[in-house]
Amino acid sequence: MQKRRLILVIGALFPLLCGVGFMTAHTAAQSVNDGYKLVFSDEFNLPDGSQPDPAIWSRKPRNNDQCNRWNSESPDVVFIRNGVLVCRAIPNHSEHSDTAKMLTGSIWTFNKYNVKYGRIEVRMRTNTQRGNFPAAWLKWQPKDWNTDPYAEIDIVEMFGDRGISFHAAHSQLTVSNSNHSEPNTYRNPLDVSQWHVYSLEWTPTRLVWSVDGKQLFTYKKSSRKRLLRRGQWTFDVPCYIVLNQSLGDGHYKDMVPNLTSTYETQFDWIRIYKKGE
């Protein structure tokens, strides 16, 4: 069965359009048993060399932070190959007017598609070498960066050549004060060079991370008003999606990138499920 490039399904059309032939048995069973229905999917099923669908994705701009400092519009760092989205970090040999030492690929759905609550799943793999820093994550775009609270959910990140997947919730409280109600990060031993399905279940009261259908950990909304006032739970806002291949900045020994090497992360698909739609 061919993967579908983009699927938007509601209600009774779900069994016909969702492309269940490419779901894991776990995913297909869950969508039936727990009331979730597929509402969005990009399968990246485009001709080799294509850019991801511009109706959904655009390049994430460069800025001074670690993730984005070398982002590039080059077609060599983001492209489709064999029905898979490829994001790369490569030595900068072509952009002679650009002072970036490397060129990195990052795409996002900002101003095109947002998600609030549901189950978000992404199938991906990456190469493991020092300096590697890819991720699939969600971020809120506040109206005012100076006054609005912070909200970021890392479906998964990888660091260097460590054999782990890393998962985290970053609220206003977690970024401003590490003393809060419960751990907001989890490290999962895993061979990230192999294909895995990384899943986030997001409800008004909790975030639950899983890998290949195995639940890892949960971050819950606090019942303590004092913590809520300090921003312990800022995850009731629509977020855009980011898929990226970044590089470390050298703060840790295994996060020093090799500026002569090519890094590559592959995304097979991303799917979003919701209840009651």
Side-chain angles (χ1 to χ4, degrees), residues 219-265:
Y219 183 81
K220 296 180 181 179
K221 182 177 182 178
S222 177
S223 60
R224 300 166 61 184
K225 293 183 179 180
R226 182 179 65 86
L227 288 177
L228 293 175
R229 285 195 300 267
R230 295 172 60 196
Q232 181 270 341
W233 183 267
T234 52
F235 307 114
D236 295 317
V237 290
C239 293
Y240 54 80
I241 306 164
V242 184
L243 305 176
N244 68 278
Q245 170 66 73
S246 297
L247 295 172
D249 60 6
H251 282 171
Y252 300 95
K253 184 177 181 180
D254 62 352
M255 293 303 288
V256 178
N258 182 344
L259 302 183
T260 65
S261 184
T262 293
Y263 297 76
E264 181 172 298
T265 299

Side-chain angles (χ1 to χ4, degrees), residues 189-213:
L190 191 70
D191 181 359
V192 298
S193 68
Q194 300 299 309
W195 288 110
H196 297 285
V197 176
Y198 302 94
S199 175
L200 170 76
E201 184 178 17
W202 176 14
T203 78
T205 58
R206 66 177 187 170
L207 301 167
V208 183
W209 287 260
S210 301
V211 174
D212 297 330

Side-chain angles (χ1 to χ4, degrees), residues 86-179:
V86 177
C87 292
R88 306 171 85 195
I90 62 175
N92 182 12
H93 297 316
S94 60
E95 305 292 334
H96 301 297
S97 62
D98 190 341
T99 59
K101 297 177 181 179
M102 299 282 282
L103 304 178
T104 59
S106 177
I107 62 172
W108 63 351
T109 63
F110 178 62
N111 279 341
K112 296 185 177 183
Y113 183 83
N114 288 331
V115 58
K116 178 182 174 182
Y117 308 142
R119 189 171 66 242
I120 302 97
E121 296 188 340
V122 58
R123 187 172 188 257
M124 61 182 284
R125 66 181 178 182
T126 191
N127 55 14
T128 52
Q129 54 182 318
R130 290 193 173 190
N132 195 29
F133 185 28
W137 49 291
L138 307 175
K139 183 71 180 292
W140 176 48
Q141 180 70 34
K143 294 181 180 179
D144 188 335
W145 285 101
N146 296 316
T147 60
D148 290 342
Y150 191 89
E152 176 186 325
I153 309 171
D154 297 324
I155 302 171
V156 64
E157 295 177 295
M158 292 84 168
F159 294 97
D161 55 2
R162 307 176 205 176
I164 64 169
S165 62
F166 184 85
H167 315 267
H170 299 293
S171 68
Q172 186 65 33
L173 180 61
T174 67
V175 298
S176 61
N177 186 344
S178 61
N179 297 317

Side-chain angles (χ1 to χ4, degrees), residues 14 31 36 38 46 55 64 69 87-88 110 134 224 264-265:
F14 169 73
S31 64
Y36 279 103
L38 185 67
L46 294 169
N64 292 327
R69 70 191 188 281
C87 292
R88 306 171 85 195
F110 178 62
R224 300 166 61 184
E264 181 172 298
T265 299

